[in-house]
Amino acid sequence: MKRLFKVLVILSIAVSFISCGRKVTPEEAEEKIAQHMYERYGEEFEVGYAMIDGYTKGDRDVTWYEARVTPIRYIGTPKYTDSYYRAVGTVMVKKKMFREEFGITRDTYSNVMLKESANEFYGKKLKELFGENYLSVLEVTGSYSDKSKNFEGSVKLTKEKGDRLYISGGIYIFGRVENNEDREWYRKQIYEFIQFMKETGTFEYVDLDFNIADERIISKEFEEIHLKTELIQLYEEVLSNKIKGDIFIEKRKNILDKVGKNYIVDFSELEKWNKGEIINLKNKLGMAGTINLCKILSEKYIKANKHFYKEYELKFYNSINDVKIEG
């Protein structure tokens, strides 16, 4: 009985020491994440409130703190509330006998940097081919190069690691397609862009949409005479199957013709569009304004996703004839 009593006393003392041990606080976790972000990216980040999210799988001695991380320079800009740029920082917390201590710190902002570097890299060619009237909303899966901090270095790093570089999302071109001559011009420009991707070794796992939208939907006049609501309502009628085909085309034409001929377009406004909404198909204005779509699927992407075989033809894009624009 006395032996059992001594054991219980020792256990209670041990528990007391553990409970009184040094614990990591949420404030310290936020500071740790902020320090990690500055050291990795060389700029200050806003760190949201950090909370312990749970235990690591199979190990109840390791928990973590997680918080949203946002560059200070995003504050007050459209990027601040855009999910396309959203990222989190995570710091592991290891539980020792009498204390807690920080483990590895990670973040997903590198994914944002990878997308941004891709948009910048391809943007130079897109500007050459289409002018200022484009919006690049790419989704990229690969490894971001902290060393080079550019897309070329990230492509190289991804391949060195034996990983696949996936490129998807959409490129929105704002212009006019009024006849076959216009359509052929866009086909040629899109074909040239694909050849550029091939030359740079990035046309491997690609699922990319080229959306040719009417430039009048981003004109000053379009906003001033409140046509946005009309166009979105028309789009919703199509989605609910209330109207179809030629009726939709005629109604859309009537709405856009209200803009007139002497409209003014400020293409710099495109960067204010919410890219997260476009990716998630919530930007109905962009969707309703699309008049032509060209879907690009690389050979490797189709072979890696065999369900595409039934719906899409395997193409190598060695000829402009492989570029199809659907109206």
Side-chain angles (χ1 to χ4, degrees), residues 50-312:
M51 295 290 291
I52 292 180
D53 233 10
Y55 295 98
T56 58
K57 188 175 182 179
D59 189 351
R60 295 187 67 82
D61 290 327
V62 181
T63 61
W64 69 86
Y65 280 88
E66 185 177 282
R68 180 180 172 183
V69 288
T70 310
I72 296 296
R73 59 187 167 87
Y74 281 8
I75 297 175
T77 73
K79 290 183 178 182
Y80 188 70
T81 56
D82 192 336
S83 62
Y84 185 77
Y85 302 95
R86 193 158 294 162
V88 297
T90 305
V91 59
M92 309 305 291
V93 178
K94 297 180 179 179
K95 293 181 178 293
K96 300 295 185 179
M97 180 64 76
F98 301 115
R99 70 185 189 282
E100 292 181 346
E101 61 181 37
F102 287 124
I104 297 172
T105 306
R106 301 188 181 93
D107 68 89
T108 62
Y109 185 68
S110 59
N111 298 337
V112 177
M113 292 291 286
L114 185 59
K115 293 188 293 188
E116 282 287 76
S117 64
N119 285 328
E120 181 181 354
F121 175 75
Y122 291 118
K124 297 172 185 176
K125 190 64 178 180
L126 289 168
K127 184 176 180 180
E128 176 188 319
L129 292 169
F130 299 100
E132 301 281 354
N133 56 326
Y134 76 89
L135 180 64
S136 179
V137 190
L138 298 179
E139 289 286 357
V140 184
T141 301
S143 298
Y144 176 71
S145 173
D146 288 313
K147 183 178 180 180
S148 69
K149 299 187 186 302
N150 60 40
F151 187 62
E152 298 97 309
S154 297
V155 171
K156 183 180 179 182
L157 177 62
T158 301
K159 293 185 176 183
E160 286 175 351
K161 293 171 68 173
D163 295 333
R164 294 175 176 180
L165 182 76
Y166 284 94
I167 300 175
S168 61
I171 294 172
Y172 294 80
I173 310 298
F174 294 86
R176 301 288 291 274
V177 180
E178 298 183 326
N179 50 51
N180 287 332
E181 186 179 344
D182 291 341
R183 185 184 293 266
E184 286 305 303
W185 184 84
Y186 280 108
R187 283 183 68 211
K188 179 179 178 296
Q189 302 308 91
I190 293 170
Y191 176 74
E192 290 298 326
F193 184 79
I194 295 170
Q195 302 317 301
F196 174 76
M197 293 188 80
K198 286 185 176 183
E199 291 165 8
T200 55
T202 57
F203 192 69
E204 294 187 344
Y205 298 91
V206 176
D207 176 8
L208 190 59
D209 290 341
F210 272 87
N211 301 271
I212 304 169
D214 197 298
E215 65 183 1
R216 286 173 291 183
I217 70 170
I218 55 171
S219 69
K220 181 180 177 182
E221 289 74 11
F222 183 85
E223 289 291 334
E224 287 180 347
I225 56 180
H226 309 295
L227 295 179
K228 180 177 179 179
T229 302
E230 283 188 51
L231 195 58
I232 289 175
Q233 286 175 348
L234 177 62
Y235 176 66
E236 289 174 342
E237 285 181 20
V238 174
L239 286 180
S240 59
N241 292 317
K242 291 181 179 178
I243 60 171
K244 295 180 181 180
D246 293 340
I247 297 175
F248 165 68
I249 293 171
E250 183 63 27
K251 285 192 173 185
R252 181 177 58 192
K253 181 180 183 301
N254 292 337
I255 292 172
L256 292 173
D257 283 348
K258 293 178 184 179
V259 172
K261 295 182 179 180
N262 300 317
Y263 57 87
I264 299 171
V265 176
D266 182 2
F267 293 118
S268 65
E269 289 293 309
L270 289 174
E271 277 303 318
K272 296 179 182 178
W273 280 38
N274 190 299
K275 293 184 177 181
E277 288 186 354
I278 292 175
I279 286 289
N280 295 316
L281 301 179
K282 292 179 181 177
N283 191 313
K284 293 181 180 178
L285 176 59
M287 299 302 105
T290 298
I291 53 177
N292 288 274
L293 169 67
C294 178
K295 189 168 190 65
I296 305 298
L297 289 166
S298 67
E299 173 197 1
K300 286 186 178 181
Y301 185 85
I302 291 179
K303 287 182 176 179
N305 298 271
K306 292 185 178 180
H307 61 279
F308 278 100
Y309 272 119
K310 295 180 180 179
E311 190 174 354
Y312 296 100

Side-chain angles (χ1 to χ4, degrees), residues 13-47:
I13 292 172
V15 171
S16 297
F17 270 114
I18 293 172
S19 63
C20 294
R22 180 74 176 86
K23 288 189 175 183
V24 170
T25 66
E27 290 75 21
E28 290 171 331
E30 288 179 24
E31 187 176 338
K32 181 70 175 177
I33 293 172
Q35 179 185 353
H36 161 81
M37 299 302 293
Y38 184 81
E39 289 175 354
R40 184 174 186 187
Y41 300 105
E43 63 177 309
E44 293 185 356
F45 280 72
E46 176 188 76
V47 180

